[in-house]
Amino acid sequence: MATTISSSPEETLALGESWAAKARPGWVIGLAGDLGAGKTQLVKGFARGMGINQLVTSPTFTLVCE
C-alpha cells in the first residue's frame, strides 16, 4: 500500500481531486484516521473532482460536538 503525506489542506484537496479522476464504478474507498487528520479535506477534493458542488462536512466532528 502506498503512503502519501500532505503538507497543507490545499495539497490534500488536490490529492482528493486527483483520486476522483482515477476512481472507477464499484470501487469502495475507506478512510481511517484521527480527528483532524484530513479525511474531510480529502473527501472535499474528491467531491470536487467528481463535479459535486454540495457542502461536504465531517460526520465524526458533528458527533464529537454533541
Side-chain angles (χ1 to χ4, degrees):
M1 179 184 337
T3 299
T4 302
I5 298 174
S6 172
S7 301
S8 68
E10 294 78 20
E11 193 176 322
T12 305
L13 283 169
L15 179 63
E17 197 167 353
S18 72
W19 283 8
K22 298 172 186 163
R24 298 292 171 251
W27 282 15
V28 176
I29 301 170
L31 302 175
D34 294 334
L35 190 62
K39 298 177 301 293
T40 302
Q41 281 298 103
L42 184 72
V43 173
K44 285 179 180 182
F46 196 94
R48 184 169 66 188
M50 298 290 290
I52 298 169
N53 296 318
Q54 295 170 321
L55 180 65
V56 175
T57 60
S58 168
T60 306
F61 183 78
T62 301
L63 290 172
V64 169
C65 285
E66 285 187 10

